[in-house]
Amino acid sequence: MKQTSYILIAFCLLFSSCKKDFLEENPRTFLTPANFYKTEADLQMGLNAVYRTPQDRYSNMWGAPCWFEWTTDEAYLSPANGHAFHNQPSFLRNDFNSSSDMPWNMWDYVYRHVKDINFLLEALNTVDAPDAVKKSIEAQARAWRAHLYFDGVRLFGPMPLILTPISDVAALRAMTRTPIADIYAQIVADLQVGMTTLPNTYSNAADKGRVTAGACAAMLARVYMTMAGHPLKETSNWAKANTILKEFVVDKKYGSQYELFSEYSDAFADANIPGKEAVWTVNFTRGTFGQGSQIHTDWSPIELYYDSRAGLAKGGGWSNALPTPAFLDSYDQVNDKRFKFTYWTSTADLPVEYAAINSSAGGPVVFAAPHNKKFRETSPNDLSQASGIDHYIIRYADVLLMYAETLNEANDPNAAMYVNMVRNRAGLGNLPALSQQQFRDQLLLERAWELCFEGERRFDLVRTGTYYSRVKAWNTQAAPNIVEGKHELWPVPQREIDINANLLPNNPGY
């Protein structure tokens, strides 16, 4: 779905610029989400704008690719970064509180895009279009709404559940926080619509990258697994996740197109995303305004940025997050092919691409610490323009590991088989015999080695009830300040509380 549309960009800007002040007016002479939709083409344009949603979460917001990797066992904030916006949530000191900017940015992201989706869904009731078209648009839009609320409820806990456009300011200011069980029920309902309505694949090349039935199924399995863990601990959901994942992996209900690439590195090649390992992806288009990815720039070495021989044009970036030494030490650094592919310590690790720099008078550029290069483009790797590499929300390796996890919770001896598929691809041997608890512990490592820095680690640790213990033991930056029972959630933003006191009390400890 790599297309550039200046109309779409303008449309996105229109929608994203509509803040609360818009609700207090009665616009008559300019476009708003409420009066835009007139034709089927308008509906399609609105849906295309919805697909911009995750670009903010995974790229556009300041340092967003690192938000859910900082303060985990995998990564910490670079000492080179002195911005309070990033330091507060990374160190977990008392200055990370309801007045911090990052929680408000995430809260605003959720509701800004939920608003746009709700206007689109409302328009389906009035715009003349074929029923099949409307059902497809509804299913895709509801899938993205589920994704938004899933992020929101995992970060903030109870939060207002808004499912229709609301133009009454008094009503908005009177809203209370919906219990998390009710939010999850809506997330489940939205994803079930996609599972039963959307196709397994799209025949039109222009639709490549759209949400499919399989994407909704895999996400619903992830949701059920989260509901089975902390904080709901509704363990009956393990069986629900297992049923969906068996249909996905064994029965091929959602198609036979899903496979692992033979090499881990192939899964991250631009030409292969979306490809056979892609289940749900974020689309990016290189070098375009608001459409390209900043993911690798956030992870790229700042030493390259400041070197006069390199800069942004040759792979320099911000070093916003670095792998924790404990995480690096956890690898089999000799045999695990993922280690060599993922990390570099100097330009000497890429001798062909950086031949001119490496052979020049200054020699290779050496970094202060190992950096993640998992998401980098191949030469010329010009980060002065945003990357066009799509990003995985869910890929097939994750589906296999999730399936293994649900089998282990059922004490099924076949659980190791699906972990071994992922391990063998990475150059590692099969798992030894493990008890159920040993398997749980091992799977935390397996998921980290395979899925590191893809945007889910914080949530894995929280749902498994290991967030506090892993950060305490593995992340020396956040370990002195982390508080069990507090930092599993973020605070409700103070600027929202100032508008609506019904959002109180805040989350524990804030």
Side-chain angles (χ1 to χ4, degrees):
M1 212 168 64
K2 292 194 174 184
Q3 309 170 61
T4 303
S5 168
Y6 292 103
I7 297 175
L8 172 58
I9 293 169
F11 186 75
C12 293
L13 290 172
L14 161 68
F15 270 35
S16 62
S17 65
C18 294
K19 300 290 186 177
K20 290 178 182 175
D21 291 344
F22 141 76
L23 296 174
E24 300 182 20
E25 300 179 9
N26 184 22
R28 300 176 186 274
T29 59
F30 56 88
L31 285 177
T32 71
N35 67 23
F36 170 79
Y37 294 107
K38 304 296 183 185
T39 67
E40 179 184 340
D42 295 338
L43 294 174
Q44 294 290 357
M45 188 178 293
L47 178 62
N48 288 342
V50 167
Y51 273 86
R52 176 192 177 278
T53 296
Q55 292 178 355
D56 288 346
R57 195 270 213 204
Y58 291 93
S59 173
N60 294 344
M61 294 191 291
W62 191 16
C66 311
W67 286 10
F68 309 122
E69 301 295 336
W70 290 325
T71 60
T72 70
D73 51 355
E74 288 183 355
Y76 67 101
L77 178 70
S78 166
N81 186 320
H83 300 292
F85 184 92
H86 299 140
N87 275 254
Q88 290 171 356
S90 298
F91 283 85
L92 296 180
R93 296 176 298 231
N94 288 335
D95 59 357
F96 180 59
N97 52 47
S98 61
S99 297
S100 298
D101 287 328
M102 191 177 291
W104 182 81
N105 273 253
M106 192 66 191
W107 183 281
D108 176 69
Y109 156 76
V110 170
Y111 286 110
R112 179 162 36 91
H113 291 297
V114 162
K115 169 179 64 67
D116 294 345
I117 289 170
N118 286 341
F119 272 112
L120 173 60
L121 292 172
E122 182 83 0
L124 294 173
N125 297 321
T126 58
V127 175
D128 184 27
D131 188 55
V133 170
K134 287 186 175 183
K135 287 183 177 179
S136 177
I137 291 174
E138 178 191 4
Q140 292 175 72
R142 289 182 67 172
W144 283 115
R145 185 172 69 181
H147 183 266
L148 286 162
Y149 274 124
F150 189 34
D151 274 346
V153 74
R154 290 184 295 175
L155 280 172
F156 298 107
M159 58 194 307
L161 182 63
I162 303 175
L163 302 175
T164 58
I166 299 177
S167 298
D168 184 344
V169 175
L172 286 169
R173 291 176 175 171
M175 299 197 80
T176 59
R177 298 170 71 184
T178 303
I180 59 175
D182 294 342
I183 298 174
Y184 274 111
Q186 184 61 49
I187 293 169
V188 169
D190 281 348
L191 290 171
Q192 285 175 333
V193 170
M195 285 174 60
T196 57
T197 303
L198 296 174
N200 288 347
T201 60
Y202 292 90
S203 56
N204 190 333
D207 292 326
K208 193 175 183 180
R210 288 196 182 274
V211 178
T212 63
C216 292
M219 183 63 76
L220 183 55
R222 181 182 282 177
V223 169
Y224 279 140
M225 290 169 65
T226 302
M227 295 170 70
H230 179 87
L232 285 178
K233 299 181 180 178
E234 295 177 351
T235 55
S236 61
N237 287 301
W238 282 116
K240 295 178 183 178
N242 176 264
T243 297
I244 292 172
L245 293 166
K246 178 180 179 296
E247 292 173 341
F248 198 116
V249 175
V250 179
D251 302 335
K252 305 297 182 184
K253 178 178 179 179
Y254 302 102
S256 58
Q257 69 272 23
Y258 299 111
E259 294 181 283
L260 295 179
F261 284 100
S262 58
E263 292 292 336
Y264 183 73
S265 57
D266 289 341
F268 299 94
D270 189 12
N272 293 337
I273 314 175
K276 62 183 181 180
E277 198 159 330
V279 178
W280 194 335
T281 58
V282 185
N283 169 247
F284 291 105
T285 303
R286 178 171 179 77
T288 55
F289 176 74
Q291 301 288 293
S293 169
Q294 300 292 334
I295 294 173
H296 180 58
T297 312
D298 271 290
W299 292 96
S300 292
I302 200 166
E303 292 87 352
L304 268 181
Y305 172 75
Y306 282 118
D307 194 289
S308 61
R309 300 167 295 171
L312 279 175
K314 293 185 179 178
W318 314 131
S319 293
N320 272 336
L322 301 171
T324 66
F327 181 47
L328 292 173
D329 290 344
S330 73
Y331 280 87
D332 178 345
Q333 297 184 10
V334 174
N335 297 306
D336 193 332
K337 291 185 283 187
R338 295 170 298 197
F339 183 83
K340 184 176 181 180
F341 172 75
T342 303
Y343 304 106
W344 59 330
T345 59
S346 79
T347 55
D349 293 330
L350 294 173
V352 175
E353 183 169 336
Y354 288 100
I357 288 178
N358 294 340
S359 61
S360 66
V365 180
V366 179
F367 317 142
H371 279 65
N372 163 31
K373 61 179 176 67
K374 184 174 179 177
F375 309 117
R376 71 188 308 278
E377 288 184 304
T378 53
S379 182
N381 193 29
D382 183 356
L383 298 185
S384 64
Q385 297 189 59
S387 167
I389 297 182
D390 292 350
H391 186 77
Y392 294 107
I393 295 177
I394 302 178
R395 55 188 175 89
Y396 189 58
D398 191 357
V399 172
L400 293 174
L401 293 175
M402 287 195 291
Y403 187 37
E405 190 171 350
T406 65
L407 290 172
N408 182 59
E409 292 303 318
N411 284 304
D412 190 314
N414 292 314
M417 177 193 314
Y418 298 97
V419 178
N420 290 337
M421 292 171 66
V422 176
R423 285 175 59 87
N424 294 164
R425 196 254 302 259
L428 301 178
N430 291 343
L431 288 174
L434 300 170
S435 69
Q436 186 183 54
Q437 184 57 51
Q438 287 173 329
F439 194 95
R440 289 173 180 146
D441 296 339
Q442 182 65 30
L443 201 54
L444 272 180
L445 283 171
E446 299 290 345
R447 290 186 62 80
W449 295 331
E450 178 66 25
L451 306 170
C452 59
F453 318 130
E454 293 180 31
E456 282 292 311
R457 187 57 176 177
R458 172 191 170 86
F459 303 119
D460 269 354
L461 296 180
V462 171
R463 72 172 176 82
T464 55
T466 59
Y467 182 66
Y468 173 79
S469 61
R470 296 290 280 205
V471 173
K472 197 75 174 173
W474 290 55
N475 188 316
T476 58
Q477 186 175 74
N481 303 310
I482 189 169
V483 176
E484 190 170 16
K486 173 184 178 180
H487 288 124
E488 288 83 358
L489 293 176
W490 281 6
V492 176
Q494 186 62 44
R495 66 182 79 181
E496 297 297 325
I497 295 171
D498 290 342
I499 296 170
N500 179 10
N502 293 304
L503 298 176
L504 290 172
N506 213 321
N507 290 325
Y510 293 104

